[in-house]
Amino acid sequence: MELTLLLLSLAPLILLLVISIFALKDPSHSAKNLPPGSLGWPIFGETLEFLFGKPEKFVFDRMKKHSSAIFKTKILGEKTVVLCGP
């Protein structure tokens, strides 16, 4: 009973610590020389939209939004760069 209470009281502190670490991380450091684009949700990325929509529409929407030549995304849990061209 006491151990459970202790763990429940420490959980918000640990969560706050983890969130602050990610919030204070310098985004420009990790985004050096990367193409424009979005990685989407942390675990799923943009997988759901890619798999359950039309892949052609997925690519053309991002070509219009980010760049017609190259963009980054996260599909099936992997960071991916998509090159658009002949």
Side-chain angles (χ1 to χ4, degrees):
M1 173 79 177
E2 293 170 5
L3 180 62
T4 305
L5 210 55
L6 178 66
L7 290 175
L8 286 175
S9 64
L10 288 178
L13 293 173
I14 293 171
L15 183 63
L16 182 64
L17 178 66
V18 170
I19 289 172
S20 64
I21 288 172
F22 284 113
L24 296 175
K25 185 178 173 185
D26 185 18
S28 63
H29 177 69
S30 63
K32 239 182 208 179
N33 297 324
L34 292 178
S38 170
L39 298 177
W41 290 89
I43 295 174
F44 299 111
E46 296 180 318
T47 302
L48 297 177
E49 190 174 349
F50 179 75
L51 290 178
F52 296 115
K54 294 183 178 179
E56 297 86 12
K57 183 179 181 316
F58 175 84
V59 171
F60 287 130
D61 288 347
R62 272 133 193 95
M63 285 173 63
K64 281 190 259 181
K65 185 176 180 181
H66 301 296
S67 171
S68 62
I70 186 172
F71 63 89
K72 69 180 175 188
T73 186
K74 188 172 184 181
I75 300 174
L76 300 174
E78 293 294 325
K79 294 178 183 175
T80 307
V81 174
V82 179
L83 301 171
C84 308

